Amino acid sequence: MNLLVEEFQRHFFSMTRLPSFPWSTCRHSLCRKFPPSVRFRRLFLSQLIKQQEEAGADPLDELYDALAEVLGPEDANECYKNYLLPHGGAVTLLENTALISQGTTGLVTWEAGLYLAEWALDHREVFTGRTVLELGSGMGVTGITVCRCCSPSSLVFSDYNPSVLQKLRTNVGVNGLSNATPVVSVEQLDWTSATEEQLQKIGADVVIAADVTYDPEVARNLVTLVSKVIRSSGPEVFICSTIRNLETHHGFKQHLENAGIKHKVITGGASRVFCYDRTLSLELIQLYR
């Protein structure tokens, strides 16, 4: 398959259970209700037409009509991404099109969050009937997947950035979690000032986080918070990281050791559910005293 089509799939749609004919992608009900960015729809449709022309086939008129719809409009600064789930549902996220915007990287989904979501799907028993706290939820792909598929009793999404929290609340609502089971809340959580009393009130049985160790200061603050969480309710803690800088990653583990927190690397991988860059170095660890 052409790299452009693969790029469309990786960024905007998990194609696992869609029919093979590309038109089923272009006019799929999810793509029509929650459309990907104008730029990628334009590139995707242009490439499909080019492939059919090179194969000596006459492209469908509907492909030209769909392309015409996206030739004029300028791309917005946000778009939807849809990730199909094994049971047939989907996680739909409203995200920014830029990797960094409004001074944060939290307005897009990153690979470690998708990997952690896949791991959760393979280990649903970790979350079933339990209170889950997600740290640095970002756009919510991991927590929403857990809510949709793993039957927790409650899940607390948390982040600090106001812009991230606003969009996160939108995504919780888009996915029908606002007034449903499990009990869901979205809370602002400052890792530097959160108290053990505040964490005891949440009463987490399981704590999850993804892509939150990319910066030395952020990693240090995370360890401080995790120490309080472990003291407050003694939960299972799982952190998934993309190892972009070995020095930063080793520094995070050194902070854990200095705080008396042990860790073990969870091996074995996870079932491939979502489309993302699997050439990256991803590591999932469990923390404990």
Side-chain angles (χ1 to χ4, degrees), residues 142-162:
T142 307
I144 292 171
T145 300
V146 169
C147 287
R148 297 289 301 276
C149 301
C150 302
S151 304
S153 62
S154 62
L155 194 143
V156 178
F157 295 87
S158 71
D159 212 290
Y160 178 71
N161 185 287

Side-chain angles (χ1 to χ4, degrees), residues 33-277:
K33 185 176 181 180
F34 302 111
S37 78
V38 168
R39 174 178 177 269
F40 274 89
R41 279 183 285 159
R42 185 186 304 131
L43 293 173
F44 182 69
L45 289 162
S46 297
Q47 185 60 34
L48 289 182
I49 292 172
K50 179 181 177 182
Q51 285 181 344
Q52 288 197 297
E53 289 175 341
E54 289 177 347
D58 292 328
L60 296 173
D61 289 340
E62 288 89 344
L63 284 175
Y64 289 111
D65 292 341
L67 179 60
E69 293 175 7
V70 293
L71 286 177
E74 293 186 5
D75 214 353
N77 61 4
E78 60 184 18
C79 67
Y80 286 99
K81 298 182 184 180
N82 299 290
Y83 300 94
L84 296 182
L85 296 168
H87 61 66
V91 173
T92 296
L93 304 177
L94 180 63
E95 303 187 10
N96 278 32
T97 53
L99 295 180
I100 300 175
S101 54
Q102 301 181 47
T104 179
T105 59
L107 292 167
V108 297
T109 292
W110 296 91
E111 289 83 0
L114 291 165
Y115 179 84
L116 183 54
E118 290 178 332
W119 183 85
L121 290 170
D122 285 344
H123 299 84
R124 303 183 190 201
E125 71 281 356
V126 172
F127 307 94
T128 300
R130 309 183 80 186
T131 296
V132 181
L133 168 63
E134 182 175 27
L135 304 174
S137 295
M139 296 297 89
V141 66
T142 307
I144 292 171
T145 300
V146 169
C147 287
R148 297 289 301 276
C149 301
C150 302
S151 304
S153 62
S154 62
L155 194 143
V156 178
F157 295 87
S158 71
D159 212 290
Y160 178 71
N161 185 287
S163 298
V164 173
L165 288 167
Q166 181 180 6
K167 196 156 289 185
L168 177 58
R169 291 188 178 97
T170 297
N171 287 336
V172 167
V174 165
N175 287 276
L177 300 178
S178 298
N179 298 298
T181 302
V183 177
V184 166
S185 63
V186 178
E187 299 186 12
Q188 187 175 47
L189 187 63
D190 186 339
W191 295 358
T192 62
S193 62
T195 65
E196 289 189 33
E197 290 75 18
Q198 181 182 2
L199 298 170
Q200 285 174 350
K201 185 176 180 180
I202 295 174
D205 302 305
V206 182
V207 175
I208 56 174
D211 263 323
V212 290
T213 62
Y214 56 88
D215 177 86
E217 183 176 357
V218 171
R220 184 167 52 250
N221 292 337
L222 173 64
V223 172
T224 299
L225 179 70
V226 167
S227 296
K228 295 177 182 178
V229 169
I230 291 176
R231 288 196 299 267
S232 67
S233 60
E236 295 183 75
V237 182
F238 301 93
I239 296 179
C240 190
S241 303
T242 303
I243 304 175
R244 297 182 175 87
N245 183 299
L246 281 175
E247 184 177 354
T248 300
H249 191 64
H250 291 157
F252 165 60
K253 291 187 174 181
Q254 186 61 55
H255 288 310
L256 290 173
E257 183 178 334
N258 294 342
I261 300 175
K262 300 177 182 179
H263 76 275
K264 63 179 180 181
V265 177
I266 297 177
T267 59
S271 298
R272 295 193 171 200
V273 176
F274 307 120
C275 290
Y276 58 92
D277 185 356

Side-chain angles (χ1 to χ4, degrees), residues 11-31:
H11 282 287
F12 294 110
F13 218 97
S14 172
M15 304 290 290
T16 310
R17 286 159 301 284
L18 286 184
S20 58
F21 186 56
W23 187 244
S24 299
T25 302
C26 305
R27 292 301 193 189
H28 191 276
S29 58
L30 275 175
C31 285

